[in-house]
Amino acid sequence: MSQLRILGALSILSILFFTFHLFAQVPHLTSTVHHHPPPHASSTIARCESLRAEAGPPKHFHKRSKSDRFVGGTKPLLVQRARIWTGGKNGTEVISGDILLDKGLIKSVGHLGRSAIAAYGDDLVVIDAKNAWVTPGIIDIHSHLGDASSPALDGAEDDNSLKGIVQPWLRSLDGLNTHDDSYPLSIAGGVTTSLVLPGSDNAIGGQAFVIKLRSTAERTPTSMLLEPPYNINSSFPDPNLPPRWRHMKHACGENPSSAYQDTRMDTNWAFREAYKKAFDIKQRQDEYCSHALAGKWKGLGQFPEEYQWEALVDVVRGRVKVNAHCYEAVDLDALVRLSNEFKFPIAAFHHASEAYLVPDLLKKTYGGTPAIALFATNSRYKREAYRASEFAPRILAQHGIKVLMKSDHPVLNSRYLLYEAQQAYYYGFPENLAIASVTSNSAEVMGMGHRIGYVKEGWDADLVIWDSHPLALGATPSQVFIDGIPQLKDPHVVHKRSAFQDTPKVPNFDKEADEAVKYQGLPPLAVKKRSTPTTIFTNVKSVFTRSSDAIQTLFSAQDESVLGVVVTRNGSLLCSGLHTTCSEFLNDSHATFVDLEGGSISPAFVSFGSPLGLQHIDQEASSNDGYVYDPLVQAVPKILGGDTAIVRAVDGLLFGSRDALLAYRVGVTSGITAPSHYSFYSGLGVSFSLGASHKLEEGAVIEETTALHVSVRHFSNPSVSTQIAALRRLLLGPSKGASGHWFQKVKEGEVPLVVEAHSADIIATLIILKKEVEVEARKTIKMTITGGAEAHILAKELSEAGVGIILNPSRPFPYVWEDRRLLPGPPLSRDSAIVKLISHGVRVGIGCEEIWSARNLPFDVAWAAIEAGGNISKEQAIALGSVNVEKLLGVEREDADLVATRGGDVLSVSSKVAAVISSRRKSVDIL
Ligand SMILES: *[C@@H]1O[C@H](CO)[C@@H](O)[C@H](O)[C@H]1NC(C)=O
Ligand SMILES: *[C@@H]1O[C@H](CO)[C@@H](O)[C@H](O)[C@H]1NC(C)=O
Ligand SMILES: *[C@@H]1O[C@H](CO)[C@@H](O)[C@H](O)[C@H]1NC(C)=O
Ligand SMILES: *[C@@H]1O[C@H](CO)[C@@H](O)[C@H](O)[C@H]1NC(C)=O
Ligand SMILES: *[C@@H]1O[C@H](CO)[C@@H](O)[C@H](O)[C@H]1NC(C)=O
């Protein structure tokens, strides 16, 4: 036996001995003999007593007259004439009045007497809200802000440790970057507080922390924390302090499975093994304490604990808000069983795409039904999320289950967390609960409802003044207060029509919501109903059509009481206008009549920017077309023609994906997609119908080849200069093979070259290259930039060079270094990037980042118009999502679909698509 093995055996023996010793003592201690207390008795007794204390604020918390986060010198502030959503009465209480902020607290809400105001003297800052909406600060229950920093840099990925599938001892606080570009951006969206969770690559990823987003004088992560647990800087906190809520991240399903090459079975065993350990420590502690508190000290030894496990022990003591990332019924079921086996509560299930299908299961969770934290429409990116439904919030609410909306920042930009609530509201989540889902209810679920999430006397002075009703699309803060400190310096406020101040009217989705449950998340989406040859749309308020390169108004009712009519035959417009104009067509006894109830007909939207049409489920290779070879980074097989091969997206089209059909149903009826690629080289784009069920259907493929696509980005390899060199050679070098053929067409100005580029430096280089090619070819070439986060910097130069931009995303975010010089738009800048580019005469289109987001293009377009404060006309706005996209991406055909919307035009959230009118397919689909 080697020395090492002897030592090993000894240590095992000593563990056995110790364990035996510990348990062997217990029976003796049941005697009633009292022994002399050891020197540590009083601290041990305090510690034992503290184990019984429940987490939460101290008893007299609301007697505080000053916030622990108050910054000396902050002036008292009065917000006058506000329309205040308080969070009270289940989120239904709205008060008109004033709000007084002082010492980091809300000192009063309602009407403040003159004498109270006078008492503050000249120090008081007065803000007239002019009847604007005021809500509590927006609270994000699921963020990685600071830990998964933006722009993403290799040196700052601090949200997933892969050192073990169970690591309750890790703390997101330890990775919190105070220089994340997102802080000011998210504040500009009204976010004041976020729960920063570790990532989801572990079953137990570690402890989470609540932060307020404002910068602090100390400039430290610790100074950003809200009510941090005392153990952040102390191994043995003062047991007399009432414990504060702690937070922990758990994750089920695909993420831990793929990070550890495990199965769900392995992950759940990892959970059970860890919980058993924590549960046993807790039992030993409780047993120890029952003796200590009874004064039976003999042989009791030290308080049993294992430092690594103390946080999980606190979980089984019910003093930690467990936030569990679990999607499917299979995962939720496992965690509900786990909670019952080890008797610990779960604060919230996050993502929980199938929660709405298993409400009774959720109610069986130990300690009460968890809240469900959801995205509104971000779905289907992996199997776990495939059955997610936009109707989940309303369905869960009907079961009395608390629903929160969350960003998972930077997965979604938390600047727009309120947009998640707006979408949920659009699909039927009640107004009061929608606002509460990002304010009061998230505060409660975090265990912070005693101080944030409400506009209430004594609560933290975290408020947002909005430029519209908070559930109106595009609602933007005109001021944000955190701890009573105004966060926006010289905010740019868009003045909105009074209609934006009212609760938005939204369509009825009762039938769709019922079907979501009936079909377990997969309701049939294919369009079954074709109209008769003649379709007559009545009560039409406006008609927009497209010419070769713009949108124009064909008809617009002057008066609500005299609405128009539109007659179509075989998918083509026959007549539109007042009844008298079209009377000769109205007596067709076989016509189908569609009442648009004041709605509109306008050109359909076109999706570009994601692999829509080449994917069903993003993260499932077997459901996707796959990726092209890139001759710049690898050898292309000879059978393909080697380096000169060109791939056509049309050859890989997959029809009938759920994302395509969902987009179709909201009026995004076609897609333009380029071959999926990892780096530089893509191939030929295609334009196709999103409503078709297969390629051979009439009108399924609109144009087989549209434009030639490449990307020039800061991939680590090869360099940007190498990519530009390759592009120059392809354009100016000897033309060979298939790629030679297509680059020749680019050179002759026949086919656009579409380059994904984000950085202004790369875009400038591309403008120079374009001129170089034009001098050589003596032709004007067509070039379009997609992405374009920094394009606004070159608005003038792009306009002069005749280069158009597809902005993707349409509301920018500093994902990576090359995006960071973005133009944020109101309230941080007067112009949005779209307004700036348009005002310089650049043709702009709006892109869709991922396949699920194609369905949100109508919202994106409407938002761009709202944000422009009237500086973009309705026609220009519709063009952003339709004709401009086609023009910029090389679609020549002009027989675009039309969309009929009921109850409003295509830019209004009160409308719903009633029909798609397709002259290409010579038919009208009734939805
Ligand atoms: C809160 O509001 C929701 C939706 O409006 C309603 O269904 C629920 O019953 C209300 N809860 C209470 C306790 O009033
Ligand atoms: C330790 O953290 C607590 C907050 O949990 C804070 O109040 C205290 O000042 C900190 N102590 C030191 C020495 O930094
Ligand atoms: C409409 O389509 C039907 C069936 O394809 C055809 O018989 C009819 O002639 C068409 N009508 C017009 C006006 O094109
Ligand atoms: C409809 O009415 C117009 C005159 O108003 C007439 O010319 C036409 O023949 C009628 N069509 C049918 C199908 O009755
Ligand atoms: C719209 O244009 C006007 C006049 O150029 C300008 O004053 C205003 O600030 C612009 N609004 C936005 C939101 O850009």
Side-chain angles (χ1 to χ4, degrees):
M1 215 184 239
S2 77
Q3 229 178 348
L4 261 179
R5 289 180 67 181
I6 293 169
L7 279 176
L10 277 175
S11 69
I12 287 168
L13 273 178
S14 65
I15 290 167
L16 281 176
F17 174 76
F18 176 75
T19 315
F20 172 79
H21 183 75
L22 192 84
F23 286 103
Q25 294 298 328
V26 174
H28 297 283
L29 291 162
T30 54
S31 71
T32 54
V33 187
H34 288 227
H35 302 275
H36 285 298
H40 62 77
S42 64
S43 67
T44 302
I45 284 171
R47 193 148 177 209
C48 285
E49 276 169 347
S50 79
L51 297 183
R52 298 174 180 166
E54 283 180 17
K59 239 190 201 142
H60 302 296
F61 180 78
H62 285 295
K63 297 231 163 96
R64 67 184 180 151
S65 57
K66 187 170 124 181
S67 170
D68 52 353
R69 297 183 47 87
F70 175 62
V71 175
T74 307
K75 288 192 172 171
L77 199 143
L78 182 67
V79 180
Q80 277 182 322
R81 290 205 293 158
R83 215 185 299 187
I84 310 159
W85 184 92
T86 66
K89 300 187 177 149
N90 192 25
T92 62
E93 183 181 65
V94 176
I95 293 176
S96 286
D98 311 332
I99 309 166
L100 179 66
L101 311 179
D102 189 22
K103 302 277 185 286
L105 300 180
I106 296 169
K107 289 287 184 181
S108 86
V109 182
H111 288 284
L112 201 61
R114 273 167 198 272
S115 58
I117 295 175
Y120 275 94
D122 291 345
D123 253 6
L124 188 67
V125 178
V126 179
I127 294 177
D128 185 354
K130 298 180 185 155
N131 210 25
W133 282 94
V134 171
T135 66
I138 301 298
I139 299 171
D140 192 356
I141 187 83
H142 187 145
S143 183
H144 302 286
L145 204 155
D147 276 16
S149 292
S150 303
L153 294 166
D154 292 343
E157 281 174 22
D158 281 311
D159 68 332
N160 276 304
S161 154
L162 290 180
K163 297 254 166 78
I165 191 162
V166 166
Q167 304 188 84
W169 44 87
L170 301 185
R171 295 169 167 181
S172 68
L173 171 61
D174 294 327
L176 193 75
N177 172 10
T178 54
H179 305 294
D180 190 320
D181 279 4
S182 309
Y183 293 112
L185 295 171
S186 293
I187 289 171
V191 181
T192 53
T193 301
S194 298
L195 175 62
V196 180
L197 298 161
S200 51
D201 279 351
N202 310 89
I204 300 183
Q207 298 158 44
F209 289 83
V210 180
I211 62 166
K212 285 210 191 179
L213 270 57
R214 71 169 169 87
S215 55
T216 61
E218 297 87 337
R219 305 193 185 104
T220 58
T222 301
S223 61
M224 300 179 81
L225 299 177
L226 182 64
E227 283 192 11
Y230 297 107
N231 38 22
I232 59 162
N233 55 12
S234 163
S235 300
F236 302 105
D238 178 350
N240 299 309
L241 293 168
R244 289 169 163 181
W245 281 112
R246 306 177 75 177
H247 300 83
M248 194 176 288
K249 176 75 179 285
H250 285 13
C252 319
E254 292 187 27
N255 287 20
S257 291
S258 66
Y260 288 92
Q261 294 177 349
D262 271 352
T263 64
R264 284 182 158 79
M265 296 190 290
D266 298 300
T267 304
N268 282 300
W269 169 246
F271 271 127
R272 293 183 62 232
E273 190 180 34
Y275 268 98
K276 174 74 173 128
K277 174 120 191 159
F279 193 77
D280 287 350
I281 295 170
K282 172 182 178 286
Q283 295 276 82
R284 273 162 40 211
Q285 291 175 346
D286 289 350
E287 224 162 303
Y288 177 99
C289 285
S290 73
H291 293 293
L293 292 173
K296 302 173 197 165
W297 294 101
K298 192 181 173 201
L300 203 50
Q302 293 299 311
F303 180 77
E305 84 178 328
E306 288 183 50
Y307 200 44
Q308 266 194 319
W309 295 95
E310 63 80 30
L312 202 63
V313 172
D314 246 7
V315 173
V316 285
R317 291 199 181 282
R319 306 204 289 194
V320 181
K321 298 288 186 184
V322 172
N323 287 272
H325 151 134
C326 303
Y327 281 81
E328 291 184 89
V330 60
D331 303 314
L332 298 166
D333 191 63
L335 263 271
V336 170
R337 282 185 278 110
L338 186 76
S339 81
N340 282 295
E341 184 176 358
F342 297 103
K343 313 231 172 314
F344 69 96
I346 296 172
F349 281 121
H350 294 240
H351 298 294
S353 55
E354 295 185 9
Y356 73 102
L357 297 173
V358 294
D360 296 334
L361 166 71
L362 302 173
K363 291 176 184 175
K364 289 181 186 156
T365 310
Y366 179 84
T369 312
I372 303 298
L374 298 171
F375 294 135
T377 50
N378 181 358
S379 311
R380 293 173 294 284
Y381 40 87
K382 50 181 169 171
R383 184 195 94 164
E384 292 183 324
Y386 196 60
R387 289 169 190 266
S389 172
E390 60 274 40
F391 306 109
R394 61 176 276 169
I395 295 165
L396 286 160
Q398 277 159 4
H399 288 283
I401 295 171
K402 200 170 269 178
V403 176
L404 310 176
M405 304 312 292
K406 56 95 194 262
S407 74
D408 198 359
H409 184 99
V411 172
L412 298 182
N413 176 0
S414 68
R415 178 176 176 188
Y416 304 121
L417 177 55
L418 186 60
Y419 174 44
E420 296 303 292
Q422 291 162 0
Q423 292 172 75
Y425 169 72
Y426 175 78
Y427 291 111
F429 192 32
E431 176 183 4
N432 55 327
L433 301 183
I435 303 176
S437 74
V438 290
T439 54
S440 55
N441 281 344
S442 4
E444 295 293 350
V445 174
M446 276 179 195
M448 294 292 159
H450 56 282
R451 63 183 295 170
I452 58 171
Y454 298 86
V455 182
K456 209 166 159 182
E457 194 180 315
W459 264 247
D460 285 17
D462 299 350
L463 303 179
V464 185
I465 306 178
W466 298 97
D467 65 0
S468 69
H469 186 287
L471 294 180
L473 185 71
T476 300
S478 52
Q479 189 51 276
V480 179
F481 303 93
I482 304 181
D483 301 318
I485 305 168
Q487 297 295 307
L488 302 175
K489 213 174 147 231
D490 305 324
H492 298 271
V493 182
V494 174
H495 294 285
K496 296 185 174 171
R497 284 184 290 117
S498 63
F500 276 95
Q501 304 305 329
D502 302 332
T503 306
K505 191 173 157 286
V506 289
N508 182 303
F509 288 102
D510 291 351
K511 180 169 161 279
E512 290 88 340
D514 288 346
E515 294 212 325
V517 177
K518 179 175 166 199
Y519 291 95
Q520 300 205 44
L522 304 178
L525 296 173
V527 178
K528 297 230 177 62
K529 207 165 154 204
R530 286 275 150 85
S531 176
T532 52
T534 305
T535 310
I536 299 174
F537 296 92
T538 60
N539 292 316
V540 181
K541 192 161 173 210
S542 54
V543 179
F544 302 91
T545 53
R546 68 166 273 186
S547 63
S548 68
D549 68 354
I551 302 294
Q552 63 245 333
T553 303
L554 198 62
F555 167 76
S556 174
Q558 300 304 313
D559 181 342
E560 293 281 339
S561 64
V562 193
L563 296 171
V565 21
V566 170
V567 183
T568 68
R569 187 160 301 153
N570 289 0
S572 293
L573 275 195
L574 217 54
C575 180
S576 63
L578 297 176
H579 280 74
T580 47
T581 320
C582 299
S583 62
E584 60 176 311
F585 302 105
L586 300 180
N587 52 358
D588 181 338
S589 59
H590 299 294
T592 301
F593 283 83
V594 181
D595 183 355
L596 293 186
E597 299 168 18
S600 168
I601 288 180
S602 55
F605 290 125
V606 183
S607 148
F608 169 77
S610 76
L612 189 63
L614 295 176
Q615 289 188 346
H616 283 267
I617 303 175
D618 178 51
Q619 294 176 29
E620 288 294 341
S622 67
S623 78
N624 296 346
D625 178 52
Y627 290 83
V628 298
Y629 291 98
D630 190 333
L632 200 52
V633 292
Q634 66 198 142
V636 179
K638 276 206 186 109
I639 193 171
L640 260 178
D643 286 1
T644 64
I646 282 273
V647 169
R648 311 187 316 163
V650 64
D651 295 328
L653 282 180
L654 303 162
F655 284 87
S657 70
R658 298 193 70 78
D659 287 309
L661 294 171
L662 285 165
Y664 188 79
R665 285 173 168 271
V666 299
V668 184
T669 70
S670 67
I672 301 170
T673 297
S676 297
H677 59 295
Y678 288 116
S679 45
F680 169 72
Y681 215 60
S682 170
L684 293 166
V686 60
S687 157
F688 61 103
S689 166
L690 297 179
S693 51
H694 59 77
K695 196 181 279 174
L696 300 179
E697 209 175 276
E698 181 158 27
V701 174
I702 298 166
E703 277 182 36
E704 279 193 357
T705 53
T706 51
L708 196 51
H709 292 255
V710 297
S711 295
V712 179
R713 302 201 58 181
H714 288 275
F715 312 112
S716 53
N717 191 35
S719 69
V720 167
S721 40
T722 307
Q723 295 167 59
I724 294 289
L727 205 48
R728 179 179 288 114
R729 183 166 177 277
L730 286 163
L731 286 162
L732 296 175
S735 79
K736 274 196 295 189
S739 67
H741 171 77
W742 285 100
F743 276 94
Q744 187 60 33
K745 281 181 181 285
V746 169
K747 230 164 115 175
E748 283 165 12
E750 285 172 29
V751 166
L753 177 65
V754 179
V755 188
E756 185 197 8
H758 296 242
S759 123
D761 295 307
I762 294 176
I763 296 170
T765 304
L766 290 165
I767 291 174
I768 295 168
L769 180 64
K770 178 175 186 281
K771 286 181 192 150
E772 210 178 315
V773 175
E774 286 171 343
V775 167
E776 168 95 13
R778 295 162 194 258
K779 289 255 168 67
T780 303
I781 70 167
K782 295 180 194 163
M783 182 185 275
T784 295
I785 304 292
T786 72
E790 296 186 352
H792 67 96
I793 295 172
L794 300 170
K796 181 167 151 279
E797 291 79 4
L798 285 163
S799 172
E800 287 164 2
V803 175
I805 300 284
I806 304 261
L807 269 185
N808 190 19
S810 63
R811 294 177 299 282
F813 182 75
Y815 290 107
V816 288
W817 191 259
E818 56 185 332
D819 296 324
R820 76 196 195 292
R821 289 179 289 174
L822 51 78
L823 188 62
L828 297 175
S829 64
R830 187 196 70 182
D831 292 338
S832 66
I834 293 174
V835 167
K836 179 153 181 215
L837 288 162
I838 289 182
S839 68
H840 281 84
V842 177
R843 187 184 288 274
V844 181
I846 282 181
C848 306
E849 282 185 281
E850 292 183 67
I851 62 173
W852 62 267
S853 55
R855 70 175 311 171
N856 291 337
L857 180 58
F859 288 143
D860 295 334
V861 167
W863 194 329
I866 292 165
E867 198 170 50
N871 289 6
I872 296 183
S873 68
K874 212 163 243 190
E875 291 85 351
Q876 279 177 310
I878 296 171
L880 289 171
S882 59
V883 61
N884 287 0
V885 176
E886 294 196 328
K887 279 301 235 195
L888 290 168
L889 299 176
V891 176
E892 302 282 334
R893 287 181 67 154
E894 290 173 6
D895 52 354
D897 293 342
L898 293 171
V899 169
T901 54
R902 181 177 284 130
D905 66 35
V906 76
L907 300 182
S908 153
V909 295
S910 59
S911 74
K912 191 173 176 181
V913 172
V916 174
I917 303 159
S918 178
S919 63
R920 281 192 296 256
R921 292 196 277 153
K922 302 189 179 57
S923 67
V924 172
D925 285 344
I926 307 287
L927 298 172

